[in-house]
Each structure stands twice: as structure tokens, then as C-alpha cells.
Amino acid sequence: MHIWRLTLVVLAISITLCAQDALTVSGSSVQTTEPVGTTAPEAATQADQQTQAASQASPTGTTAIVPPATTPRDLAEAKRDFSAGMKLKSAGKTQEALDKFESAARLDPSNVQYITAREVTRQQLVMQLIEQGNKEMLANNEVAAAGYFRHALEIDPTNEFARQRLKDSVWTTDKVPSRTLEITQKSIDVRVSPKTEVKDFHYKGDSRNLLVQVARAYGITATIDDSVTTRQVRFDIDNVNFEQAMEAATRVTKTFWIPLSGSQMYIVSDTAENRRNFERMAIRTFYLNDILTPQELTDTTNALRVLLDIRFVQQNVAEQTITIRAPLSVIEAATQLIESLAGGRPQLMLDMQVFQVSSSLMRQLGTQLYTNFTLINISPSLLASLLGTTSTDLINQLIASGGINQANSQAIQALLAQVQQASKNPLLSSAFATFGGGLTLMGLSGSPPIAVNLHVNESDVRNLEHVTLRASQNSPAVLKLGQRYPFVNATFAPIYNNASIAQVIGNQSYVAPFPSFNYEDLGLNLKATPIIHANSDVSLKIEINIRTLAGQAVNGIPIINNRQYTGTITIKNGETGVVAGLMSKADSMSINGYPFLSRVPAVNYATAVHDKNVNEDELLIVMTPHIVRTAPSQGFAVQLPAGH
């Protein structure tokens, strides 16, 4: 703290001495005397002579500027501001005190006390901000520390310590250009410095003399080339500056001029050969870091060639630069054109939502009764044909040997089961009823078997794809979500057979060549190309594909379900629009049962089976564009200087 106080005291003494020297110099430079008895014009002449003498005596050769006189009102207000600043400084309000001291020094610049108080308070405030910034740096709060150091630099831009501490608080890796356009090389410009006055010209005579007089009127020395022809011209123009006068004079004399220095120019005849030989060429290299593809760099180069008729232009795709060699006026026009083109391509954020809802219902309700009846005549010959010769002989042998009798019911059942399995006739595998007797013994069987169906299968699938894309002007943004499914295009097999092929096929060591196949994108495929208009409208050229496997195949090749939309829409910025919507519904119902009874409400489910299938599928695509960067809306106009 003692070192800071000693530094402030030394700084205050230095400021006081500098202020006193400045007051001494300014006071001596503005002192003028007026001899007694002289008239006003003579006094003015003497004052001009004294001013000229002071200018010659000054090392810099400049005339001293007399500050305006301080009024008593300003002195009183400055005194009040100084008193208020001292009170604020005592209260610890350094920033408010500095504002008051600056006001007092501005109202009364000759008061050394006011200036000293202002500078001392300024340095105290800077040191306070630097100390607060150092505390924030120790607390690892770089953002707050950078704010304090930046505020200190705003108060005292010459403080190198605050500047270095600001660099320490801001972590940077590589230099990032602040604009999308950066001039990497620039040649030295040679310009004339004419007087800014406006002149009137009324001339009739030689054309060469006209050019010399017009240039001389604005303090420029003109050298005329021998190629300029001499002829009589009439030149009348009023209230024009240097550019306007020279443009009119060169048009009348059919010439153009080249700047040699700030006060000299060279005028030659306006011919194609003189343009190539005398016109001053400049070279400038532009770095465009917003260019994304080599084609964009080529388009920018072609635009410069066509619009400004620039012949010497070279592009470097690797470094993203364009180098132009042309007259300086054309170079300036090219600079404005490239700035307008490279100001950043318009971009938008595309918010897309794909809603897909699928539902299915399969219901089977009712009683399944006999719907097919078979009537047969049961006779010994029919039984023999049903059982077959082998089964009949086997039964007779078992009965004769006593293996089957009425008391052995289990053996009879086992025998019938074996006979039923051995017989291939469907009558033995289904139950049937008999009626009648003897030759009229009949059998009646029904199919299908009686069953009660209570079956419901319902599914509901809801799918939402929420995608956010950022796209540039007229550049397609492509998004693919899903999988890539391989499809076989061709397989390989030997077209002839020989001993070696038969051998490897026989021992199963044959390895077939790798088949030919390609991949198909399954899932969501989106391609959006935006065009952003000046009125915040967005035109979108959209291509959407939703492809899935159908679960079926034809000759081993899977079937793909495809939903595709292609179109162009225009939406306002931030407006949500439905791009595409698709709804499909399939409803089928079948009845299997007795006629007429299946339609009666009371007994329809007891006499028939009702099958109902309902499939619903809905697809909805919604998009919302949000413009994040627009193109420069202001236009520009380039006017080439006179003679170009």
C-alpha cells in the first residue's frame, strides 16, 4: 500500500508540472498587443502578422488555437463540481467523484487543482478495479475479472498492466477472425489531396489550359502528356468540388488523370493503350472464411469478372483467398461487392416433427357349430373296406384265441386305437352318430368340431421423430435415420461341370464367390433446401422418404414399404406448417355360421363366428423454420472517381 501511495504522489506532482508548463506555453502563444491609435484594419493586419510570426517561430509550424474564454458562471459551476467531487471521494465513491472532477476541469481548464484531482482520482479508480479483478482471478472467476480489467482500460486506455491482465483473464487458443471477410494483403494507395472548397468555372479556350486551371484551383499541379490534343472548348460549371470539376473537364477533353502524389497529377488522352500503360494498378488479396465449397469460391470469382470487368483475378481454393489486380477505384468497388457477398450466408434452424400412429384390431367372437355333414350307410362290406383285410383277420384271430372278450375292455380299446391309427380313412378319425338297424344302419358325422371363440388382438403404435437441422441458403441439408439393409443383386454358380468341381462339391469344400449386393437406406431420409427471402419468408424444397421392411418377400427378395413426399412450400419465419399428412384405414368383417340365424340379433353369436379386422395408419409431418442469420439488407452504390 505504501508503494501505491508513493506512486500516486509522484504521478500527481508530474501532472501538476506538466499542466503548469502547458499553461505557460498557451499563455505566451496567445498574447497579442494592439498599438494605440491604429484603425481596425491596421490592427487586424498586425494581428495576422503576429500570428504568422508565431507560426514561423513554432517548431511545428502550426498556428496556436486560442481556447474560448471562461465565463464567471462556468467558474462558479466548476467550483461546485469540485467541492461535490471532494465529498464523494471522502465517502468512498470514486467513480462519482471522477465524474465531478472531469466536469470541473472541462469548465475551468486553467485550474491546476481541478486537473490534478481528476488525474489522481482516475488512477485511484483504475487501481481499485485492477485489485478487484485480481481477487476474482484468484477465485477462478475469469468472467468477472475480465469485466473489471476491461472497465479499467476504458478509464485509462494507456494502462498496459490492465491490458495484460485482461489478456490473462481471457482464454484464447487461436486467432478467430471477427468478420467473414479479411483483407490479407493490400497495396499502397496513392491519392491526391485537393482543397475541399467548391468553385465556379466559366472558361473558353484551349483544352490543355483548361485542365491546368481546374487542377490549380484546388491546389493540384497538373502535368499534361503529349498525347492530349489541343482544341477549343467551352466550360461552364458552378458550385462543384474537385472530383466533380475534374470529371466534367476530362469528359470535355476526352482525357483521364493519374495521381502522382498528394499534390501532383498526370493527364493523358483517354485511349485503350494509355489505360493499359498509365493507369495505376493495385493488388489486394481477400480471405473468405465463410466459403464452404470450391464452387462457391468460383462463383464469387466469376461475379467479379462479369460485374466489374476484372481480368486479373486469381483464386486459391486451399487457402480460400481471392487476389485481384485492377485500378484502385475498381479494387474499392470489388471490396464492397465481396463484403456484401461474404457477410455470412443466411441460415435457419429447421424444426421438424414426424408423427406416425398405427393401430390394429382383430376380433373373433361366436360359436363354431357343425356346418358340414356326412351321411354314410354302415354295412359289413363298408366295415371291411374301412378296416381292411389285415385288421379283420387280426380281430378274428384274437377272438378265436380268447385274447379279446367282453370282460377285457382295455384290450378292445387298445385294439380300436391301433386300428384307427393303421387306417387312412377319415371316417374313423371323427365321431359320428348312428341310427336305423340291419341294412338301414346309417352313420352321420359333422365338421368342423364345435368350438366357442372369444379372441381379441389389439395393438396401438405411436412413433414421433423430432429432428432439428441447421441449413444454409440454397444448400441442401440431408438427414438419414435408420439402417442400411443389404440386397443381393446376383449370385455366382459354375456354368459347367468337371471332375475337379464335382470333387469339391462332393466333399463339401466348395466356397461360392461373394455375391453382388447393394445397400438400401431404411428409416427416415430427409433432404431440405431452404431459400430465405428478404421479407422473412422461407421457401423449402423438401424430399422425405420413410422406408421400412414389409415382412414379406418375393422370390427371396424382401418387399419395402415406401412413403415419399417431394414438394416446395413457403412458410413465414417461426410459423408452423403441415408439410404432408396421410391417413389410411382398412375395415373388414366376415361371418361363418348358419344362414339367416347368424343375422338374428338374439342368437347371432351362438350360431356363427364373427371376424372383424380394423387397421388404421396416420402420418403427419410438421415443420417450423427459425431464421438465425439473415443476409445484409442494406444495399451499396459505388461511384468511380473522375477519370476512371
Side-chain angles (χ1 to χ4, degrees), residues 561-583:
N561 292 329
N562 186 34
R563 295 179 181 178
Q564 183 174 357
Y565 169 80
T566 302
T568 303
I569 61 173
T570 301
I571 311 177
K572 291 285 187 182
N573 180 29
E575 181 183 33
T576 302
V578 178
V579 177
L582 175 65
M583 178 182 291

Side-chain angles (χ1 to χ4, degrees), residues 320-366:
Q320 295 183 342
T321 59
I322 295 178
T323 303
I324 301 173
R325 187 169 70 91
L328 183 59
S329 56
V330 180
I331 289 287
E332 296 296 339
T335 303
Q336 296 188 31
L337 179 60
I338 293 177
E339 286 180 350
S340 65
L341 296 177
R345 300 178 62 181
Q347 293 183 357
L348 61 82
M349 191 72 70
L350 186 61
D351 189 358
M352 186 187 72
Q353 295 178 345
V354 180
F355 300 92
Q356 186 174 4
V357 179
S358 300
S359 61
S360 63
L361 172 64
M362 184 180 66
R363 187 179 64 190
Q364 190 177 42
L365 299 177

Side-chain angles (χ1 to χ4, degrees), residues 581-598:
L582 175 65
M583 178 182 291
S584 60
K585 183 177 181 180
D587 192 351
S588 63
M589 183 174 181
S590 64
I591 300 176
N592 185 14
Y594 294 155
F596 306 111
L597 293 178
S598 61

Side-chain angles (χ1 to χ4, degrees), residues 379-455:
S379 61
S381 60
L382 176 63
L383 293 176
S385 62
L386 293 175
L387 297 176
T389 305
T390 305
S391 300
T392 304
D393 296 340
L394 179 61
I395 293 174
N396 292 332
Q397 292 177 6
L398 291 175
I399 293 174
S401 63
I404 299 178
N405 51 38
Q406 295 180 355
N408 193 357
S409 60
Q410 295 180 354
I412 295 175
Q413 292 178 1
L415 178 62
L416 292 176
Q418 293 179 4
V419 171
Q420 183 178 359
Q421 293 177 0
S423 176
K424 297 181 180 180
N425 199 300
L427 291 176
L428 296 177
S429 62
S430 61
F432 57 90
T434 61
F435 59 91
L439 297 176
T440 62
L441 181 61
M442 305 296 292
L444 180 65
S445 64
S447 65
I450 298 176
V452 178
N453 296 294
L454 298 174
H455 179 69

Side-chain angles (χ1 to χ4, degrees), residues 350-354 465-471 475-482 521-529 540-547 563-567 569 579 621-623:
L350 186 61
D351 189 358
M352 186 187 72
Q353 295 178 345
V354 180
E465 297 284 352
H466 188 186
V467 181
T468 303
L469 299 177
R470 183 161 182 166
S475 296
V478 180
L479 175 68
K480 295 183 179 181
L481 296 176
D521 294 325
L522 302 181
L524 175 63
N525 301 321
L526 170 65
K527 182 179 179 181
T529 305
L540 295 172
K541 184 179 180 182
I542 303 171
E543 298 179 10
I544 300 176
N545 284 334
I546 300 177
R547 312 180 70 186
R563 295 179 181 178
Q564 183 174 357
Y565 169 80
T566 302
I569 61 173
V579 177
I621 301 175
V622 181
M623 288 189 177

